[in-house]
Amino acid sequence: MASSSRGHFSSRLGFIMAAAGSAVGLGNVWGFPTKAASNGGAAFLVIYLAMVFLLAFPMLVAELTIGRHGQSNPIASLRSIWTKNRAAAALFGIIAMIASSMILSFYSILAGWLMGFAASPILGMLGLQTAADWLVNFSDLRNVLLALAFSLLTIYVVRKGVADGIEKWSTRLMPVLFILFGVMIAYIFTQDGAMEGLKMYLIPDIAHITPSLLVDAMGQAFFSLSLGVGAMIVYGSYLKKDVNLPKTAAQVAAIDTGVAFAAGLLILPAMFVAKNHGVEIFDAAGNLMSSGDLVFTVLPAMFDNMGSAGVLLGFGFFILMVIAALTSSISMLEVPVSCAQDELKMTRSQATWMIGGAIALLSIIISLNFGALFNLVANVSTVYMQPLLGVVWAIVVGWVWHRNKLLDEIKQGNPEIAQSLFWKIWPWYVRFVCPVAILMVFGYSLI
């Protein structure tokens, strides 16, 4: 079980900001608008909202409940429930730890690029054009140095602990993120072409709803809420027993979805503003060009065309992206760090430097073999490991955990829950609907 020195979130707001921060990352600010733009805008938005409500939210409650019950890392928390097969519990805990480490290794490279794009316009203004260009142009050395810089930022926050590191920085950074979003959306709406993008984003075209859109939307909902990789199990373990889990999970899911929605409000209109400035965003067939690097091609081209306002806007946008990336990366590093602390009895500082350093080394190896490794690591961790681990958590909560014991855990923060509609539906839902739905979508993505 947990050690007595184990940290806790000092307030519910702190937890909500940290968990929302974990959920709000590049998946929301970059992945969601890109997928929405590639899948007909509003049609994707509607299906995504349905997937968050029908799949991601029930699974978020499940993961937080596992963590709070165990009051420990994913390995020990799973063992505390899966008492008849502790070896399987430990194995899946270790796989979750590996998955979160793999995601962080490629995530640090992307986040490093964003740091480069944030600094570049400022260096340009100071007359250091060569350095500014170096930061935004692909090279092995740039990729390595920027990934290392971002890794050190992540290590710095996690080393400080739960309340002084993760909670403190999440409660500082998340409000900044919200304010930056508000300012930038308001500004983009004043530009020519923005309304065309807004129309695409908010008025659904049913013709766009296809099986592949459903797969994309579920993957997006899962990835954006940090599900499957143990991050929410770890954050749940730092929760006090009097917290109402379903209510708190709903608030985290709502903030996460709100940020994804806001990102769409910013980026789809911005694409059409860019088009208005002569930047090509669609090919002859009407498909989105360069969807993967939309953030690194279309938007910087638009900022360049806006003069000094564009410099400020570009800086603001990429700082926003770095904040979103950092609040997610700290939760991913926390998964293996919490395991090393509890299982190997390391100090937090030792565990953070050792594991953070090992993941940074993996980032360097991926950077130096970018073509061969980047997509491979990203796909193995997010397309395969993340949903399959989600199925395992659903089986643990739905089938392995005795229903009365599960109820006892959830009742601690909400004594009346046994009579609620939530309790009448949720255990059966996690038992049958969630694993089947995740496996169906996973199977389709393989085909």
Side-chain angles (χ1 to χ4, degrees):
M1 290 301 280
S3 61
S4 56
S5 62
R6 189 168 179 77
H8 275 94
F9 289 109
S10 64
S11 67
R12 218 170 111 252
L13 176 72
F15 166 77
I16 289 169
M17 284 293 142
S22 166
V24 170
L26 301 186
N28 301 66
V29 184
W30 174 5
F32 174 77
T34 303
K35 284 190 173 158
S38 307
N39 286 296
F44 185 81
L45 174 65
V46 170
I47 301 295
Y48 171 78
L49 293 175
M51 287 290 183
V52 168
F53 178 71
L54 295 172
L55 262 185
F57 165 69
M59 287 306 303
L60 179 59
V61 179
E63 290 197 28
L64 292 175
T65 309
I66 293 171
R68 196 184 67 177
H69 172 75
Q71 290 285 297
S72 193
N73 66 81
I75 297 170
S77 291
L78 288 164
R79 275 200 306 241
S80 72
I81 295 163
W82 212 334
T83 48
K84 288 185 180 150
N85 198 340
R86 292 163 68 86
L91 175 68
F92 286 114
I94 291 165
I95 294 171
M97 191 175 78
I98 293 167
S100 67
S101 303
M102 284 172 71
I103 292 173
L104 182 55
S105 69
F106 79 82
Y107 206 82
S108 298
I109 299 170
L110 289 178
W113 294 352
L114 296 167
M115 289 169 75
F117 272 84
S120 178
I122 305 300
L123 291 178
M125 275 175 73
L126 297 172
L128 302 167
Q129 200 52 50
T130 313
D133 291 342
W134 182 80
L135 283 174
V136 297
N137 287 316
F138 191 95
S139 72
D140 286 352
L141 183 62
R142 174 200 79 147
N143 294 352
V144 166
L145 291 180
L146 290 177
L148 278 178
F150 184 79
S151 300
L152 286 171
L153 260 183
T154 305
I155 289 168
Y156 171 77
V157 175
V158 173
R159 198 175 64 83
K160 295 275 189 187
V162 181
D164 285 343
I166 296 169
E167 181 176 354
K168 183 169 153 190
W169 282 99
S170 298
T171 42
R172 286 176 179 177
L173 293 172
M174 290 302 283
V176 175
L177 184 94
F178 300 147
I179 292 163
L180 277 172
F181 256 129
V183 170
M184 294 188 67
I185 290 167
Y187 181 80
I188 282 292
F189 279 8
T190 65
Q191 302 296 300
D192 290 341
M195 289 308 122
E196 203 183 333
L198 194 62
K199 204 186 296 177
M200 176 185 175
Y201 185 48
L202 297 180
I203 300 169
D205 176 359
I206 306 302
H208 283 286
I209 297 177
T210 60
S212 66
L213 183 143
L214 294 171
V215 173
D216 271 356
M218 193 211 88
Q220 185 59 39
F222 230 67
F223 184 70
S224 82
L225 271 172
S226 304
L227 294 173
V229 291
M232 289 303 176
I233 294 177
V234 173
Y235 276 16
S237 77
Y238 299 135
L239 275 175
K240 294 174 178 152
K241 290 287 188 181
D242 59 0
V243 169
N244 181 334
L245 288 174
K247 183 179 170 188
T248 306
Q251 287 163 328
V252 171
I255 293 173
D256 175 64
T257 309
V259 169
F261 179 71
L265 282 180
L266 173 66
I267 289 178
L268 273 81
M271 282 167 49
F272 283 86
V273 172
K275 188 179 161 192
N276 215 47
H277 279 286
V279 181
E280 280 193 43
I281 57 170
F282 293 108
D283 62 19
N287 298 317
L288 186 68
M289 289 163 61
S290 68
S291 60
D293 52 2
L294 174 80
V295 168
F296 298 115
T297 51
V298 173
L299 296 177
M302 176 186 78
F303 298 139
D304 284 348
N305 284 330
M306 288 181 160
S308 52
V311 173
L312 272 177
L313 208 61
F315 175 71
F317 175 75
F318 284 107
I319 286 293
L320 182 146
M321 297 284 279
V322 171
I323 290 171
L326 183 61
T327 53
S328 286
S329 68
I330 55 183
S331 76
M332 286 183 265
L333 181 56
E334 185 61 25
V335 177
V337 165
S338 72
C339 291
Q341 272 187 285
D342 297 339
E343 303 295 318
L344 305 175
K345 303 292 175 253
M346 284 185 174
T347 65
R348 175 169 277 274
S349 189
Q350 279 173 333
T352 310
W353 278 111
M354 235 179 84
I355 294 165
I359 295 171
L361 186 63
L362 184 56
S363 297
I364 293 170
I365 294 166
I366 296 169
S367 295
L368 296 175
N369 302 278
F370 192 86
L373 291 181
F374 185 85
N375 282 342
L376 177 71
V377 173
N379 285 334
V380 168
S381 54
T382 61
V383 178
Y384 298 98
M385 293 169 90
Q386 207 169 359
L388 292 178
L389 284 166
V391 173
V392 174
W393 309 156
I395 290 168
V396 169
V397 171
W399 296 90
V400 176
W401 205 345
H402 194 281
R403 200 176 149 122
N404 292 345
K405 289 184 175 168
L406 175 61
L407 178 59
D408 289 343
E409 180 57 48
I410 288 201
K411 263 166 77 172
Q412 292 191 59
N414 184 356
E416 287 79 50
I417 199 161
Q419 283 75 50
S420 69
L421 183 65
F422 175 84
W423 181 253
K424 289 186 176 78
I425 297 171
W426 178 76
W428 295 104
Y429 197 85
V430 170
R431 190 173 203 178
F432 295 107
V433 179
C434 290
V436 171
I438 297 166
L439 283 172
M440 277 170 61
V441 174
F442 176 72
Y444 182 86
S445 69
L446 294 186
I447 299 162

